[in-house]
Amino acid sequence: MRRVVLVLCASVLSACGPSAHPAATVSGAGGPGTAVPGAAYRSEQEWVVWSMAEHAGRVAGLTGTQPPHGLRVAAEADATVPRFALEAEGRQAGTIALATHLWDPRGARQVVEVVAPGVLAAPGSAGPPEIQDARRLLDRLTSPTLDVLFDEDRRVSSALRASPRSAALHEQAALLLAVFALRDGAGTFSDYRDPLSRLAVHLAVAGPEAQTPAGRVAAALLLALVGRERDARTAAEALGAEDGAIERTWSRVVALRASNDWRLLEHPASATLVERLTHARAVFTRLGSQRMLSYVSPGDSTDGPEWARVALMGPFSVDAGNRFGAIGLALEFAEAQRAIAEYRGRAVEDDAVARVLAEAGPRPEDDYRVLAWPLWRSSAARHLAGRLVSAAGHLRNQGLEADVQPMIDAALAADGGGLASLPTIILAAALASNDDAVPRRTLESAAREVAAHPDACPPGAWAALSTRAAKVVLPWPQYTGWFRPATPFGTAMELAERGLRRNARPEAPLEEAEGYHALAPSDYWAAYAVMRLRTAGKPTLASFREHVGPIVEFDVNPLRFLMDYVARTDGELVAVASSLCALDGDRCQRLAEVHLAEGREDEAASAYDQWFDAASDRVAAANGIRWAVLYHLDQGHRDRALVVAARAGATGAAGGLEVQGNVLERIGRLDEAEAVYRQTADRYTGWKALPAAYYLRRWLSTRDASLRARAMPLLSEPFPNGLESLVKPDLPPVPTDGVRLVTFGLRQERAGLRRGDIIVGIDGYRARTAAQYQWLMRMSWEPR
């Protein structure tokens, strides 16, 4: 598997490279952009309208009509609603005016009427055979595996080629595209925009009112995918009121996807695959990857990439990485090979996948497919990129930071060092996201490619790369140059990366945030933005409850925010922490931390024990249990301390190994303790100071100079200038470095600290950074 990671890191991902379409107008690196001569579009919204027009032309080709050439789109300035002038073959062809949102089929119908009016479906209503076919398709797609998608794409595409004006078939095509979009889980590289544009065109061709259940479900899923939760929930309720059981199944899928309220599926174990996957995605979004794992059955991880896409679509636990990190990449590779066989008619070996993905493929008009090769080509490359980023993240979770940079170096070497492929560069930068030593030339090349081909860079990747560039003070293509507006008109898509990104654009005004909240009332980021913009100063608990409301009943994120940023009493803090613990047992550590901060050490120890015994994330529990183990040892509970320390160390987590060594040291088994400390330092980057702290503790108690000499070389990372003695007269009146505690309570006050104090030294040694503070704290067992 390591070979796959190193080889594919660069070459496969060239398939997602610069778009074959004309370059757009976009702000250049760090400043205003100028129009690119001959550009077909200049902003994301113009590109979306252009892509709808392109697809409408391909659909028109099914009727024997020659698709128009030279399509260009230009947004009209200062229009009260978005309006776009459409040009074809050098002549003004028409104007598109949007009423509700960018992918509204009614707006897409205007595009079709301009580009290919002859393809519009004949008026009429679907009969029993069409409705039966639609229900059959809905039933098959409840298991959205690769085999099912291939089979149904062949059938629907063939039928459309024979009957290109059939409204029922266009609705089935729209449903296929909606389910294709549901399967997307490329993390940073996720992108629904092309499938949505194609979906909207098929619904537009079918007519203003859906004639079959397939059309109604496709329209509802479209609303969910663009973030119009309120409208999607209304559409889901209408589906649920229909007679058929299959409509009720899809009603649940729409509601789950729209709201991410995982409580809507009462019996996940007995549900269809599409319900289970959508439910798991909601659990991941609201509770995190560790809780999501509890809904995965043993066979789920091997049949296809769908479960890995959910488990790795954002920050994930070590357990999720262990289960899906390697196999996720292998499964994406297998899907890419199968897509090549299906749509290019070729069986390819591993080393040929990159070359085939980089090829443009047959002309769309040669053999029309609903799920066309460009969709699979983009999906394969983006998901391989996402899984490679996941692989790097999993290496970091395991403390194998040193293995990440060689992966990036191999990727750039495999690319010939030319840095000409946009996704390769994006991937390399994203892989280095936790590394301050990001190669500057990689980001510089990425900036040039994004400026030239902004449509090829998904919003999440753009956001991640701009953050990396800011870290090294590198000019980056101006966000507002391409994303105008930041979030596509009338949608609440990807708010964390788009409309509510404070570091990529001027802060969204209150009216805009309220618009997002109205569209997506269960979106935490929209609710939070409204609260913050309406509240002067630190928000109160009452204000938080007013704005966030019932989201706290199924989402840990607002509860975490409540604990860290909202003004509340000690009793309210305990209540919030208890609610967080009840919602997700893996977060009961926060309740223990509240008790500890307020000096209730017995209650803290009890809460820590409850968390450690029940947590499903054993690595997190091992890394967070140190205080409780040492407390048990101080209280004379030696047996409990030994048992917990052994269980923590058995996970192999750095924190777990440390506490195991601490207990062995405290009970006098010094050789065993030293061996554990050295094992940890050898395995985990940044832990070389762990055995140094042990040697210094031994030196302080024995005054054996050889122990201090052994410690000094191991302290070079946190103490580049060595241990500095604290000389009070040399301290400036106002400290220029040091540490300020983020969380503060009675326990700190009883130790003599006051809120806002800056800690500049510990036990006679200078503490200039947080890392130095942490290691100096380990030089003594004294709790104070």
Side-chain angles (χ1 to χ4, degrees):
M1 182 53 61
R2 180 59 57 84
R3 176 185 174 277
V4 172
V5 170
L6 295 178
V7 173
L8 291 184
C9 196
S11 54
V12 166
L13 301 187
S14 64
C16 262
S19 168
H21 310 320
T25 298
V26 63
S27 295
T34 56
V36 177
Y41 41 79
R42 300 164 300 175
S43 68
E44 180 189 37
Q45 294 207 146
E46 290 182 357
W47 167 62
V48 168
V49 174
W50 178 89
S51 64
M52 289 182 192
E54 279 280 287
H55 188 59
R58 287 193 287 271
V59 173
L62 294 174
T63 66
T65 303
Q66 182 67 28
H69 299 287
L71 289 169
R72 301 179 188 280
V73 176
E76 294 186 1
D78 304 322
T80 54
V81 297
R83 294 172 61 88
F84 303 89
L86 188 60
E87 178 184 300
E89 300 175 352
R91 297 189 300 274
Q92 188 74 18
T95 300
I96 314 302
L98 303 181
T100 53
H101 65 90
L102 185 59
W103 284 279
D104 188 340
R106 289 170 293 185
R109 189 172 178 87
Q110 296 176 50
V111 175
V112 175
E113 287 172 342
V114 169
V115 173
V119 79
L120 293 172
S125 58
E130 289 86 358
I131 292 173
Q132 183 177 353
D133 279 350
R135 287 207 171 102
R136 189 196 64 81
L137 179 60
L138 284 167
D139 184 60
R140 288 217 72 197
L141 291 177
T142 58
S143 182
T145 63
L146 210 55
D147 286 333
V148 170
L149 288 176
F150 286 172
D151 288 347
E152 293 305 324
D153 186 32
R154 292 188 208 107
R155 183 187 65 80
V156 175
S157 299
S158 175
L160 265 179
R161 289 194 294 269
S163 302
R165 292 187 177 88
S166 166
L169 288 175
H170 280 286
E171 290 181 1
Q172 291 186 34
L175 179 62
L176 272 173
L177 287 157
V179 173
F180 182 90
L182 284 181
R183 294 179 80 245
D184 195 297
T188 300
F189 299 92
S190 287
D191 194 354
Y192 315 124
R193 294 171 297 177
D194 191 14
L196 287 174
S197 296
R198 295 166 183 259
L199 190 167
V201 167
H202 282 290
L203 288 180
V205 171
E209 298 294 333
Q211 297 188 25
T212 70
R216 291 190 286 276
V217 171
L221 287 172
L222 171 61
L223 292 169
L225 288 164
V226 302
R228 293 181 67 92
E229 176 199 344
R230 198 182 297 276
D231 292 345
R233 293 291 294 269
T234 299
E237 290 174 5
L239 286 171
E242 295 190 19
D243 293 336
I246 194 63
E247 286 92 332
R248 291 192 290 275
T249 294
W250 284 97
S251 168
R252 290 188 291 270
V253 172
V254 172
L256 276 166
R257 183 57 185 248
S259 66
N260 283 316
D261 185 349
W262 48 271
R263 302 171 302 173
L264 296 177
L265 190 63
E266 296 181 2
H267 305 291
S270 59
T272 63
L273 178 58
V274 72
E275 288 174 290
R276 292 182 61 224
L277 287 166
T278 311
H279 173 262
R281 186 183 186 280
V283 172
F284 185 107
T285 301
R286 300 299 189 175
L287 303 180
S289 68
Q290 190 65 28
R291 183 71 177 274
M292 173 260 168
L293 290 178
S294 64
Y295 294 96
V296 182
S297 300
D300 287 335
S301 58
T302 57
D303 292 339
E306 295 85 3
W307 287 99
R309 291 178 180 181
V310 177
L312 305 174
M313 69 179 191
F316 54 87
S317 67
V318 172
D319 284 349
N322 286 337
R323 181 158 185 182
F324 291 105
I327 197 172
L329 179 58
L331 291 169
E332 293 296 353
F333 202 69
E335 176 160 308
Q337 289 174 303
R338 292 197 60 196
I340 290 170
E342 173 71 19
Y343 291 86
R344 304 303 312 279
R346 295 154 63 182
V348 296
E349 299 297 330
D350 290 3
D351 57 2
V353 168
R355 177 170 50 79
V356 177
L357 286 181
E359 296 172 359
R363 294 177 300 171
E365 58 267 27
D366 289 344
D367 185 19
Y368 182 84
R369 295 286 292 266
V370 174
L371 301 181
W373 166 243
L375 288 173
W376 291 103
R377 175 176 175 261
S378 171
S379 175
R382 289 186 296 99
H383 283 94
L384 285 166
R387 293 299 76 83
L388 284 165
V389 171
S390 302
H394 186 47
L395 288 174
R396 292 194 176 97
N397 282 346
Q398 295 175 299
L400 303 176
E401 179 76 31
D403 287 359
V404 176
Q405 193 59 45
M407 183 188 297
I408 300 169
D409 294 340
L412 300 179
D415 197 30
L419 302 179
S421 171
L422 170 64
T424 302
I425 302 162
I426 290 175
L427 177 60
L431 284 170
S433 60
N434 290 335
D435 183 359
D436 291 334
V438 179
R440 188 175 183 87
R441 70 189 186 112
T442 301
L443 283 171
E444 288 172 344
S445 297
R448 289 192 295 270
E449 293 292 344
V450 170
H453 304 281
D455 54 294
C457 188
W462 191 308
L465 283 165
S466 64
T467 301
R468 299 285 74 73
K471 289 179 65 176
V472 296
V473 198
L474 177 80
W476 189 256
Q478 198 174 60
Y479 190 85
T480 52
W482 171 250
F483 296 101
R484 305 195 306 265
T487 303
F489 167 68
T491 77
M493 293 175 66
E494 302 148 333
L495 292 181
E497 291 88 14
R498 287 175 170 273
L500 300 177
R501 282 197 71 218
R502 299 172 68 186
N503 62 335
R505 52 162 290 193
E507 184 173 10
L510 175 59
E511 182 180 4
E512 184 179 329
E514 288 175 334
Y516 295 139
H517 187 43
L519 289 173
S522 296
D523 189 292
Y524 166 61
W525 298 107
Y528 161 71
V530 171
M531 176 197 67
R532 184 174 52 77
L533 291 168
R534 285 179 178 172
T535 305
K538 195 170 186 177
T540 64
L541 185 59
S543 174
F544 191 88
R545 286 172 173 164
E546 175 189 353
H547 291 93
V548 177
I551 301 175
V552 297
E553 297 173 7
F554 58 93
D555 191 338
V556 298
N557 294 297
L559 290 169
R560 291 166 58 195
F561 180 86
L562 270 173
M563 293 194 65
D564 295 336
Y565 300 108
V566 173
R568 64 279 184 274
T569 66
D570 179 35
E572 290 172 334
L573 185 58
V574 171
V576 171
S578 298
S579 296
L580 181 59
C581 180
L583 187 57
D584 183 4
D586 278 302
R587 301 179 193 271
C588 290
Q589 177 189 18
R590 299 300 301 271
L591 178 60
E593 291 171 347
V594 169
H595 287 310
L596 184 58
E598 297 306 317
R600 297 184 291 270
E601 295 187 345
D602 286 344
E603 290 91 333
S606 177
Y608 272 120
D609 286 345
Q610 176 188 352
W611 170 60
F612 185 82
D613 289 340
S616 63
D617 190 341
R618 302 311 302 163
V619 170
N623 283 328
I625 201 62
R626 182 171 181 264
W627 177 88
V629 172
L630 298 182
Y631 179 79
H632 284 308
L633 206 57
D634 289 337
Q635 299 301 307
H637 306 147
R638 175 171 167 158
D639 290 344
R640 172 67 182 174
L642 281 169
V643 168
V644 174
R647 290 174 61 194
T651 66
L657 290 168
E658 179 187 19
V659 75
Q660 184 179 28
N662 289 167
V663 171
L664 292 170
E665 178 186 350
R666 292 280 298 274
I667 65 176
R669 292 158 60 176
L670 300 182
D671 290 344
E672 294 175 68
E674 182 181 1
V676 171
Y677 293 145
R678 297 203 69 92
Q679 173 191 349
T680 310
D682 290 342
R683 177 171 179 179
Y684 290 100
T685 303
W687 284 77
K688 295 188 184 306
L690 182 60
Y694 164 73
Y695 296 137
L696 290 173
R697 287 192 297 270
R698 298 287 297 144
W699 167 67
L700 288 171
S701 65
T702 65
R703 291 298 166 179
D704 181 346
S706 66
L707 290 168
R708 190 178 192 278
R710 294 178 70 182
M712 290 300 104
L714 300 173
L715 291 173
S716 59
E717 287 184 0
F719 298 93
N721 299 321
L723 285 177
E724 301 176 72
S725 296
L726 177 64
V727 182
K728 291 185 178 180
D730 294 341
L731 291 174
V734 179
T736 57
D737 55 28
V739 176
R740 180 184 284 116
L741 296 180
V742 176
T743 57
F744 198 90
L746 292 175
R747 191 164 180 264
Q748 288 76 20
E749 289 184 359
R750 289 169 184 164
L753 295 171
R754 294 294 175 264
R755 197 177 299 273
D757 280 352
I758 298 174
I759 300 170
V760 296
I762 297 170
D763 290 343
Y765 293 100
R766 190 74 161 85
R768 297 184 181 276
T769 67
Q772 291 180 0
Y773 166 85
Q774 293 291 346
W775 289 113
L776 288 172
M777 290 285 284
R778 287 172 164 87
M779 287 174 58
S780 170
W781 297 118
E782 166 58 45
R784 182 178 181 85

